[in-house]
Amino acid sequence: MFRVTPRAVFGAKFGTTFRTLLAAASAAAFAFAAGPSAAQGFPDRPITLVIPFSAGGSTDLVGRLVAQRMSQELGQSVVVENKGGAGGNLGAAQVAKANPDGYTILMGTVATHALNPALYKKMPYDPVTSFAPISLLAVIPNVLVVNPEFPAKTVSELIELLKKDPDKYSYASSGNGTPLHLSGELFKSMAGVQMQHIPYQGAGPALNDVLANQVPIMFDNLPSSAGHIKSGKLRALGVTTAKRAPSFPDVPAIAETLPGYETYTWNALFAPAGTPPEAVAKLNAAANKAIADPAVQARLADFSAIVVGSTPAELEAHVKAEIAKWAPIVKASGAQLD
């Protein structure tokens, strides 16, 4: 059985895009695996998993863990290929244009399938029609952190400070148009506050300046900040999921102060559109079994990732819901990339 995200963790709002997902995920995976139409010959050679970002980030870690376990399930190697660039568009486009035979698949994210279509004037693929969904694997919370010298100790105190001095404070992110930037823009909009956005070329440089108190506030992936939070080098004011993250139960959700606030990063597998349903079914079953493995779940829990697992149809519905959610936020932020 999968360790899926209960409504008690993420709440009803999160559940609106997953109402059928969590209850059906385990049964669906095994139904796909046992179905009479399963392709007899697939796979008969290695599969390439394209990760559209550089090595070392949370997407890369999820991808490598899942690829290793899927290799065991499929009896063929699942080889990771990192192809970063253009916010994930280069790697995603490579898979969208690949031969639709199931041997080239993508580790998609909220960036490649929800944010980039709103950020880029010209896209090299369509996030819905260019892909065959396989499975939503995991969601990863973001976190609002401040330097320990910053006076606010809660989200409420931060909002009060920002309203008192609307032009005084700034926040860092990993770059324009990233999920972390837009987490900040959503916070500003919902709280009715102002902060200057300071974009960096990646989360690492941004985090370094927050640790050095050059910029006092940052929205970051929870795995990236986790060690600094535990050591006291950063103060976590709130996680961005609707409910508290199991790995940091003492850190409130921002939604406890701003009801309805919710952002997170997610990882999902996609094949090129037109991939035979039998191949998609085998990939879905292998992926869902991979994330059901206790060893994989334990490793994912180490960096606050929460296992989901889904059917292809549920992933497709999730992507459409995410596009609808983020398009107006991106537009309101004014972020635009060429």
Side-chain angles (χ1 to χ4, degrees):
M1 296 295 289
F2 301 131
R3 188 186 74 178
V4 295
T5 307
R7 291 172 67 90
V9 173
F10 282 107
K13 182 176 177 61
F14 181 88
T16 60
T17 60
F18 292 89
R19 283 173 180 167
T20 59
L21 188 158
L22 301 179
S26 180
F30 290 99
F32 274 126
S37 62
Q40 297 300 313
F42 177 85
D44 60 7
R45 54 188 169 87
I47 295 168
T48 297
L49 170 59
V50 176
I51 297 178
F53 302 99
S54 58
S58 60
T59 299
D60 182 63
L61 180 54
V62 173
R64 290 178 184 277
L65 282 170
V66 172
Q68 182 179 23
R69 189 63 180 82
M70 285 181 68
S71 298
Q72 299 174 25
E73 292 294 330
L74 294 169
Q76 292 288 342
S77 296
V78 179
V79 181
V80 170
E81 177 184 337
N82 292 93
K83 188 176 182 65
N89 278 356
L90 291 184
Q94 175 180 319
V95 175
K97 297 170 184 177
N99 187 17
D101 55 10
Y103 289 96
T104 304
I105 59 178
L106 173 73
M107 179 64 78
T109 69
V110 63
T112 60
H113 280 71
L115 301 183
N116 289 358
L119 286 165
Y120 285 84
K121 294 179 181 179
K122 294 183 179 180
M123 285 287 290
Y125 58 88
D126 184 283
V128 176
T129 62
S130 297
F131 297 95
I134 298 173
S135 178
L136 177 64
L137 301 175
V139 297
I140 302 170
N142 301 323
V143 63
L144 169 58
V145 294
V146 297
N147 185 279
E149 296 182 15
F150 191 71
K153 293 180 172 58
T154 66
V155 172
S156 295
E157 290 178 4
L158 173 61
I159 293 172
E160 184 179 349
L161 279 174
L162 295 175
K163 287 185 174 180
K164 182 178 179 180
D165 294 299
D167 299 320
K168 183 175 181 180
Y169 300 105
S170 57
Y171 78 97
S173 85
S174 54
N176 280 319
T178 62
L180 304 177
H181 168 208
L182 296 171
S183 292
E185 294 303 305
L186 181 62
F187 179 86
K188 286 164 56 178
S189 175
M190 293 185 66
V193 297
Q194 293 298 319
M195 292 185 288
Q196 182 184 0
H197 174 229
I198 309 295
Y200 287 77
Q201 295 297 315
L207 195 58
N208 286 339
D209 272 7
V210 177
L211 291 166
N213 206 22
Q214 299 299 310
V215 182
I217 305 164
M218 181 178 178
F219 284 84
D220 192 19
N221 291 132
L222 182 54
S224 176
S225 286
H228 299 301
I229 294 169
K230 291 176 180 178
S231 70
K233 294 180 180 178
L234 289 175
R235 179 187 302 137
L237 300 188
V239 294
T240 64
T241 40
K243 296 294 182 180
R244 300 185 183 201
S247 56
F248 283 88
D250 295 332
V251 177
I254 294 173
E256 294 175 33
T257 302
L258 289 178
Y261 182 92
E262 183 181 16
T263 72
Y264 47 86
T265 299
W266 49 264
N267 297 119
L269 291 180
F270 298 86
T275 298
E278 295 85 0
V280 171
K282 283 198 170 184
L283 291 166
N284 173 275
N288 285 340
K289 287 180 181 178
I291 60 173
D293 184 289
V296 172
Q297 292 191 357
R299 184 69 185 95
L300 292 174
D302 284 344
F303 67 101
S304 303
I306 302 170
V307 170
V308 182
S310 79
T311 66
E314 290 159 345
L315 174 54
E316 181 179 7
H318 172 70
V319 169
K320 291 178 178 178
E322 286 285 274
I323 292 170
K325 170 185 175 178
W326 283 109
I329 298 171
V330 172
K331 183 177 180 180
S333 77
Q336 188 77 61
L337 300 173
D338 294 326

